[in-house]
Amino acid sequence: MIRTLPSTALCRASFRALSSSSKQFMKASPSRHIPGTKRPQLALSPYHARPTAVALMPFSTTQWKLKDKIDLKTEAAVRKEKLEAHPEAVSTTSTTGKALDMSKNDDDIDMMAGIKSDFRAIRETFDLSSVPREAYLIGLAGVLPYLATSASTFYLAWDINYAFLHGQGFLLSGEMAEKLLHLIEPIQVGYGAVIISFLGAIHWGLEFAGYGGKQGYRRYAYGVVAPAVAWPTIFFPVEYALITQFLAFTILYSTDAGATKKGWAPHWYGMYRFVLTFVVGASIVLSLIGRGNVTGLVGQANGPAQRFQEVIDDVKYERLEAEERARRAQSEDDEEAEEADEESEEAEEGGDNEE
């Protein structure tokens, strides 16, 4: 409620008019006294709600009048004036035609403008037009082995599941699919180790060229840490190796993006690395999903660590076997020497007896 002086006066006048008109109507209307009540009750009739409307009529017609008087002279002068025509000021087109005509298409209104703007922003964000053509093509070619091994891993895992459910694989038998799966595992992990080492070595090349100034050991450390993290993964189980390499690729991208921001690398290198890292990361995730579906259906292939342990065990076995052969040879020699001594003793005893 707006509590101002005019509104307050208006409300008070309204209530006074209502109360006075209600009293007049109650005096004129028949009443009936109901026992137990102090006030007289109005007679029950279908028109008992009319006094309010009746009370408002004198209030609206008698108390409130127009304050601004009509200037009759001015009105008469206006009526006598003649309207002049101005055809040059009239437009040839309708001002409401475009709003009301729904049959015509308005070329200025593009309903897809917002979506096109979003796609344009995405395209400009991931624009690789500034990347040198050689680096662009070789970089895309470099992710093809990762895509191929990941897609193969996913399909072979699906074929192993299909063979487990139906008794026979879709294109390959379950045994053949498992053998190929174990064959692809070291290829993907080894190729990932090579790529991570290569990404670290790029910083050495930038340091040699002095791009962004000489940074010294800090930039050399990138090229040292990357292979130190990558190559031990070839001894891990496949799942742990892929997860470690995924983290290594992500951290390397963050490092390269920071180097680009600092001016240590070309301005296009950050986005270039993001696109390639995204493809490699998606490939690793695809491989992990495929392997997760056949965890209980395939055995664990002997990785480099197992094969290295087998070599050590073979060396130990051969050493023990050589020692055993030497021991046996020595034992045989001792037995032969004992036999020779016994024969010589018998011969000496026989000669003594003859004498």
Side-chain angles (χ1 to χ4, degrees):
M1 178 181 289
I2 303 176
R3 297 183 178 178
T4 58
L5 184 59
S7 61
T8 306
L10 177 61
C11 293
R12 289 177 178 175
S14 302
F15 283 120
R16 291 195 198 98
L18 287 173
S19 60
S20 61
S21 60
S22 299
K23 291 179 180 178
Q24 293 174 4
F25 183 79
M26 290 175 65
K27 291 179 180 179
S29 302
S31 61
R32 182 183 61 176
H33 180 71
I34 300 175
T37 59
K38 295 181 180 179
R39 294 183 180 180
Q41 302 282 334
L42 292 177
L44 297 176
S45 68
Y47 305 102
H48 64 277
R50 293 179 60 185
T52 304
V54 174
L56 291 176
M57 291 177 63
F59 171 75
S60 60
T61 56
T62 58
Q63 294 189 10
W64 291 97
K65 296 181 180 180
L66 293 175
K67 295 182 179 180
D68 297 334
K69 296 182 180 180
I70 298 175
D71 191 353
L72 300 178
K73 294 181 179 181
T74 305
E75 293 289 337
V78 171
R79 283 198 298 269
K80 293 179 181 180
E81 292 180 359
K82 184 178 180 181
L83 296 177
E84 297 180 0
H86 299 280
E88 68 280 359
V90 179
S91 62
T92 58
T93 58
S94 174
T95 56
T96 60
K98 292 185 178 181
L100 299 178
D101 190 5
M102 302 300 294
S103 61
K104 297 181 180 180
N105 294 326
D106 194 356
D107 296 334
D108 296 335
I109 300 176
D110 189 2
M111 301 300 294
M112 301 294 291
I115 299 176
K116 290 180 180 178
S117 177
D118 294 339
F119 277 108
R120 191 181 305 110
I122 294 173
R123 186 172 61 252
E124 291 175 356
T125 302
F126 298 100
D127 184 22
L128 299 178
S129 59
S130 59
V131 179
R133 183 176 178 81
E134 296 81 1
Y136 180 78
L137 295 178
I138 295 175
L140 292 180
V143 299
L144 291 180
Y146 242 112
L147 288 174
T149 53
S150 297
S152 301
T153 300
F154 189 82
Y155 171 74
L156 292 173
W158 177 83
D159 213 351
I160 292 172
N161 276 317
Y162 189 89
F164 177 76
L165 295 175
H166 299 85
Q168 186 178 0
F170 186 76
L171 293 178
L172 304 171
S173 63
E175 294 79 6
M176 180 59 67
E178 184 176 353
K179 290 180 181 179
L180 291 176
L181 182 64
H182 293 322
L183 178 63
I184 291 173
E185 291 170 356
I187 296 176
Q188 185 175 12
V189 174
Y191 186 74
V194 172
I195 295 299
I196 293 173
S197 302
F198 172 77
L199 294 175
I202 289 177
H203 291 277
W204 279 50
L206 294 173
E207 182 66 20
F208 291 160
Y211 197 98
K214 295 292 184 179
Q215 305 301 327
Y217 289 107
R218 185 176 181 181
R219 188 146 60 174
Y220 282 126
Y222 296 155
V224 175
V225 174
V229 173
W231 284 105
T233 59
I234 63 176
F235 297 102
F236 297 171
V238 181
E239 291 82 2
Y240 296 103
L242 292 176
I243 293 173
T244 304
Q245 290 187 1
F246 179 85
L247 296 176
F249 276 113
T250 305
I251 295 173
L252 271 175
Y253 161 69
S254 177
T255 301
D256 293 340
T260 304
K261 187 176 180 181
K262 295 176 182 177
W264 297 358
H267 66 279
W268 49 264
Y269 188 63
M271 185 53 60
Y272 174 73
R273 283 281 291 109
F274 173 79
V275 174
L276 298 182
T277 303
F278 178 80
V279 176
V280 172
S283 302
I284 293 176
V285 171
L286 186 64
S287 297
L288 291 173
I289 292 174
R291 289 198 57 84
N293 292 329
V294 293
T295 302
L297 302 179
V298 297
Q300 186 69 31
N302 291 333
Q306 288 81 4
R307 288 195 289 271
F308 184 72
Q309 186 64 38
E310 289 177 358
V311 171
I312 295 177
D313 294 340
D314 292 341
V315 171
K316 290 181 179 180
Y317 178 77
E318 290 179 358
R319 185 184 303 169
L320 293 175
E321 192 175 11
E323 291 177 357
E324 183 65 21
R325 285 197 298 269
R327 204 179 297 112
R328 289 179 181 177
Q330 184 66 33
S331 174
E332 291 177 357
D333 293 339
D334 294 341
E335 290 179 358
E336 291 178 358
E338 290 179 358
E339 291 178 356
D341 292 340
E342 290 177 357
E343 290 179 356
S344 62
E345 290 178 357
E346 290 178 356
E348 289 178 357
E349 290 178 358
D352 294 338
N353 292 331
E354 290 178 358
E355 292 177 358

